[in-house]
């Protein structure tokens, strides 16, 4: 890109390293930034850095946050006796958007994957077990419906068995609005196995 | 997004203001950044700010650059007597990618648009006329093939008439690899009008 001056090329290069941003988008974003008011760009640049600089794990649920407790764990109105186990902070966000779940979370930061060499000790399972020493009514396992997510769910279920705590798994099945014709066999079988009486 | 802590929400908010980035992508990019090594994030943040802070117009062609002359105007190997007029710096980049054009550019930073209240005085036309006081063999008008781009092309052509400088317009027609069946009538007509003898 020697047709752009060095600093502009550098910015395009850095932007194109972000996930989902190809070279065309990076260029488009870069020129948008170059044409934006300085104070807006300063804010963008500062926000990126300060969020990264101050990020840490919530001491309760291990989601990414910038304070000791995340907004959910710090909220006394949430049901702290119901814990939903998710793979990462974005899964937490997905359930929060439903605006119906009132419990708290536990973020594993990964899933067990023998293929990728990720074992139980590599995700926040020890931390989950420590939390269960306090009063907990239910652990809802909401890991992804992938091979790794299912393996992790099975592992946690086995781990929790001796504690006697109610352990549940979110349902697998046909997505709402889904057209059966286009849904894979595994999902169709899961939906059949998980059928409920009407 | 009160389920994310304030700094994380702020970063997602700022990222989602960038062109082509919706709230889902912004969240994905934000978590990618939060998981990236600090030095990489510092570089991203610094590059964005320093490019914006130092950006200015090339004193010859008015493209965005960080030095007095852009790399193209500063290159003695380019043909400085052939000037391609484009609407913005990204159009310049598009032609540079062909690696065949050896002249220089003139960036208008916009196009005449009576609908949007953009007149000839709002784009870098005066600066183009000043450049033509030096020896110039050809002005190639490469504004977009939109209503605004065509209006601008016509206006420039009229403006340059008295100078006697050769003024050309890039061809309009069927894109290479284009299937006639899917091409709009206006383009088909232009391709017909612009037909060349074989």
């Amino acid at each position: 890109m020697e047709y752009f001056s060095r600093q502009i090329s550098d910015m395009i290069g850095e932007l194109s390293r972000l996930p989902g941003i190809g070279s065309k988008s990076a260029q488009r974003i870069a020129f948008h930034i170059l044409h934006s008011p300085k104070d807006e760009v300063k804010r963008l640049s500062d926000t990126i850095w300060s969020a990264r600089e101050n990020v840490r794990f919530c001491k309760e649920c291990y989601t990414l946050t910038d304070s000791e407790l995340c907004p959910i764990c710090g909220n006394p109105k949430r049901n702290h006796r119901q814990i939903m186990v998710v793979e990462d902070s974005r899964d937490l966000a997905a359930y929060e958007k439903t605006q119906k779940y009132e419990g708290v979370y536990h973020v594993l930061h990964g899933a067990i994957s023998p293929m990728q060499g990720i074992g139980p000790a590599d995700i926040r399972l020890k931390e989950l077990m420590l939390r269960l020493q306090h009063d907990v009514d239910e652990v809802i396992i909401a890991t992804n419906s992938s091979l790794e997510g299912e393996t992790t769910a099975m592992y946690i279920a086995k781990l929790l068995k001796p504690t006697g705590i109610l352990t549940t798994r979110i349902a697998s099945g046909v997505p709402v609005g889904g057209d059966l014709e286009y849904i894979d066999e595994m999902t169709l079988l899961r939906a059949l196995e998980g059928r409920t009486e009407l």
Side-chain angles (χ1 to χ4, degrees), chain A:
Chain A
M1 288 187 294
E2 64 294 13
Y3 40 93
F4 289 135
S5 59
R6 205 183 52 77
Q7 296 194 335
I8 298 178
S9 292
D10 285 352
M11 173 163 59
I12 296 173
E14 289 296 327
L15 290 171
S16 64
R17 296 174 58 167
L18 297 174
I21 298 190
S23 62
K24 273 264 167 85
S25 311
Q27 190 177 300
R28 188 172 162 213
I29 294 170
F31 279 94
H32 171 88
I33 289 172
L34 293 173
H35 284 290
S36 296
K38 277 198 178 184
D39 61 324
E40 281 182 21
V41 179
K42 186 84 185 118
R43 201 165 60 225
L44 169 70
S45 158
D46 286 351
T47 314
I48 288 173
W49 175 240
S50 70
R52 175 61 189 87
E53 196 182 20
N54 298 315
V55 76
R56 50 171 151 171
F57 298 113
C58 167
K59 69 166 189 168
E60 278 288 318
C61 76
Y62 292 88
T63 192
L64 295 178
T65 181
D66 51 46
S67 45
E68 201 173 20
L69 278 182
C70 74
I72 296 165
C73 289
N75 183 350
K77 288 183 190 154
R78 307 286 297 224
N79 178 1
H80 291 253
R81 298 167 67 105
Q82 190 179 38
I83 298 177
M84 180 183 282
V85 179
V86 291
E87 291 183 25
D88 64 39
S89 301
R90 281 177 294 162
D91 298 335
L92 173 160
Y95 256 103
E96 280 302 289
K97 280 184 191 134
T98 66
Q99 299 191 332
K100 292 290 181 197
Y101 177 64
E102 293 178 339
V104 294
Y105 296 88
H106 187 83
V107 182
L108 295 174
H109 290 284
I112 297 170
S113 169
M115 296 279 283
Q116 294 176 61
I118 301 171
D122 300 315
I123 58 176
R124 303 272 179 182
L125 272 177
K126 203 174 68 219
E127 290 84 351
L128 174 63
M129 297 311 286
L130 282 172
R131 286 180 76 181
L132 302 184
Q133 292 177 353
H134 302 281
D135 281 338
V136 171
D137 296 331
E138 183 180 3
V139 171
I140 303 167
I141 308 176
T143 50
N144 291 331
S145 189
S146 59
L147 181 61
E148 293 78 14
E150 294 295 352
T151 307
T152 310
M154 302 291 271
Y155 187 91
I156 297 174
K158 205 182 278 177
L159 209 61
L160 265 59
K161 199 96 190 176
T163 65
I165 298 169
L166 172 65
T167 307
T168 57
R169 174 86 173 112
I170 56 166
S172 236
V174 179
V176 176
D179 193 331
L180 258 64
E181 185 182 356
Y182 298 110
I183 290 172
D184 64 289
E185 291 84 2
M186 279 303 292
T187 302
L188 289 177
L189 279 176
R190 285 289 191 82
L192 184 64
E193 284 163 18
R195 67 191 180 279
T196 52
E197 205 178 309
L198 290 180

